[in-house]
Amino acid sequence: MREKVAVIVPCYNEEAVLKESYRRTRAVLDTLPYPGEIIYVNDGSRDATRSILDELAATDPRVKVLHFSRNFGHQPAVTAGIHHCDADLAVIIDADMQDPPELIPEILALREREQANVVYCVRSHREGESFFKLFTAKMFYRIFNAMSEVRFPLDTGDFRLIDRKVMDEFVRFNERGKYIRGLISWIGFKQVPFHYERKARIAGETKYPLRKMFSFASNAMLYFSKKPLRIATGLGFLSVLVGIILAVWFTLGKIYGFSNAEEGWTSIMTTIIFFGGVQLLTVGVLGQYIGILFDEVKARPEYIIDETRNFDRKVSLPQE
Ligand code: UDP
Ligand code: MG
């Protein structure tokens, strides 16, 4: 029997791209020697995304849809897609066609050739993105790697192929703040890179404004690394050291008369401000981790599903 492949697509206010995105993805699925389906996760869109997806699901039984009760975010949407996927292989892809679905056959071929469990797609070139986005993304992946205890492939998004083995491990992760590309790397097995050119969005706007990008990046760091805590401790040690040196210096100065302590207003202020800053910073770092603990302890569901389409219906898969 041929394996089944599912394409998982998170969508948030993607009315501008959905129809075209579906057309292109379906065209690719039609050419595959595998039976295929598309799992759309509507992450609480406020535009016509919902009705477009319902329409697609009504006409094509290979289109499965999960409607969230509100916007939960990109990572929870992909997570829900993986949780609800019963296929042997899944390709995670964005709705905006920045990652071309036309590459799926090549990715599948690479998996078969290499007998890999994961094919992660590495962007060798990105079109239509601001210098700022490219720069911050590049910096992020490098800082992230330096910080985290595990090594991760650079310049890799969620665009990747994963097999059943990886999905079965993924569903065992209970953490709320999932950084999916990191977790999949962390799972292990055989993972191979696939280089491609990331295109510009075909229409609509990015759903990742600066604020979301920042929280995404800082969450990834905090979930994958305890280094910020170690850096905070290091800063603490450093200030103690500086404190001791200053104390010795001033005491000796007083005894031997080479420092005039009364005139030290500037140095005192500088020291207070500097160490006040160090303290606030380290308390802030601690606070970040406590915040994560708080969220994880509450263990709220990662997403809430309002309605589904075509998940219960027996799908008759196209013949080879
Ligand atoms: N997305 C989502 N929920 C969100 C934000 C984004 O499901 O809260 C989806 C979005 O519809 C798209 C993918 O995640 O399919 C990536 O978003 P986008 O293309 O806007 O990000 P960018 O490529 O600009 O980083
Ligand atoms: Mg995009």
Side-chain angles (χ1 to χ4, degrees):
M1 203 196 83
R2 276 293 188 176
E3 290 170 303
K4 178 163 113 175
V5 48
V7 181
I8 297 172
V9 193
C11 316
Y12 178 51
N13 295 341
E14 297 288 9
E15 63 181 5
V17 301
L18 262 184
K19 282 194 175 143
E20 176 67 5
S21 162
Y22 163 72
R23 195 190 58 74
R24 281 174 56 182
T25 313
R26 194 201 51 193
V28 172
L29 289 185
D30 285 343
T31 65
L32 288 180
Y34 304 82
E37 66 182 25
I38 313 175
I39 301 175
Y40 287 106
V41 185
N42 168 20
D43 185 13
S45 304
R46 282 183 297 268
D47 63 357
T49 297
R50 190 183 183 110
S51 54
I52 296 173
L53 289 178
D54 283 348
E55 210 180 292
L56 293 177
T59 52
D60 185 347
R62 287 177 302 170
V63 171
K64 293 181 168 183
V65 183
L66 297 170
H67 290 298
F68 278 3
S69 64
R70 63 169 172 84
N71 180 240
F72 281 88
H74 177 209
Q75 300 290 297
V78 175
T79 301
I82 299 175
H83 285 172
H84 289 77
C85 174
D86 64 359
D88 307 286
L89 300 166
V91 178
I92 303 163
I93 200 167
D94 285 353
D96 58 7
M97 301 286 99
Q98 281 193 281
D99 310 319
E102 288 76 15
L103 296 176
I104 292 175
E106 279 176 61
I107 295 170
L108 287 165
L110 178 66
R111 180 202 82 95
E112 214 157 294
R113 224 172 29 246
E114 298 275 337
Q115 288 297 303
N117 302 93
V118 175
V119 178
Y120 57 92
C121 302
V122 184
R123 315 148 175 168
S124 48
H125 178 78
R126 292 172 82 166
E127 266 175 24
E129 306 250 41
S130 66
F131 171 77
F132 181 73
K133 175 130 188 173
L134 292 183
F135 179 75
T136 47
K138 243 195 155 58
M139 287 305 291
F140 165 69
Y141 288 112
R142 274 143 195 88
I143 296 174
F144 182 64
N145 246 333
M147 289 290 229
S148 84
E149 279 107 30
V150 201
R151 293 251 141 249
F152 296 104
L154 297 170
D155 305 317
T156 307
D158 283 331
F159 183 31
R160 60 186 65 219
L161 174 123
I162 53 180
D163 73 356
R164 193 67 254 166
K165 212 165 160 183
V166 173
M167 285 188 265
D168 286 343
E169 293 306 324
F170 185 84
V171 294
R172 301 202 301 137
F173 284 87
N174 286 322
E175 62 198 86
R176 314 291 109 194
K178 286 197 176 68
Y179 177 59
I180 293 170
R181 58 199 74 165
L183 289 178
I184 291 177
S185 255
W186 188 93
I187 288 175
F189 302 125
K190 184 162 186 195
Q191 313 214 358
V192 297
F194 174 87
H195 293 270
Y196 77 110
E197 286 191 9
R198 190 161 159 100
K199 303 273 182 258
R201 210 172 221 289
I202 53 170
E205 303 218 313
T206 174
K207 308 298 177 296
Y208 263 100
L210 195 58
R211 179 182 49 79
K212 268 196 193 169
M213 242 166 66
F214 189 75
S215 91
F216 179 70
S218 68
N219 243 9
M221 298 259 195
L222 292 167
Y223 268 85
F224 270 92
S225 169
K226 289 191 278 290
K227 265 198 192 146
L229 286 174
R230 242 173 276 147
I231 294 172
T233 318
L235 280 175
F237 271 118
L238 191 74
S239 26
V240 170
L241 199 71
V242 173
I244 291 173
I245 293 172
L246 284 177
V248 170
W249 172 258
F250 286 131
T251 318
L252 292 179
K254 199 90 187 145
I255 297 169
Y256 298 106
F258 59 78
S259 105
N260 193 350
E262 280 80 46
E263 280 179 19
W265 192 86
T266 318
S267 61
I268 288 178
M269 281 316 278
T270 323
T271 329
I272 290 178
I273 291 170
F274 177 71
F275 290 113
V278 170
Q279 282 174 18
L280 281 180
L281 187 83
T282 46
V283 171
V285 171
L286 274 179
Q288 293 287 321
Y289 283 95
I290 293 174
I292 284 187
L293 285 175
F294 182 54
D295 283 343
E296 295 293 327
V297 167
K298 282 184 291 184
R300 288 188 183 155
E302 286 167 271
Y303 53 83
I304 290 175
I305 292 173
D306 175 12
E307 283 184 310
T308 66
R309 302 276 178 259
N310 289 346
F311 269 95
D312 32 15
R313 200 193 306 171
K314 240 279 52 36
V315 180
S316 56
L317 299 160
Q319 299 304 303
E320 288 178 23

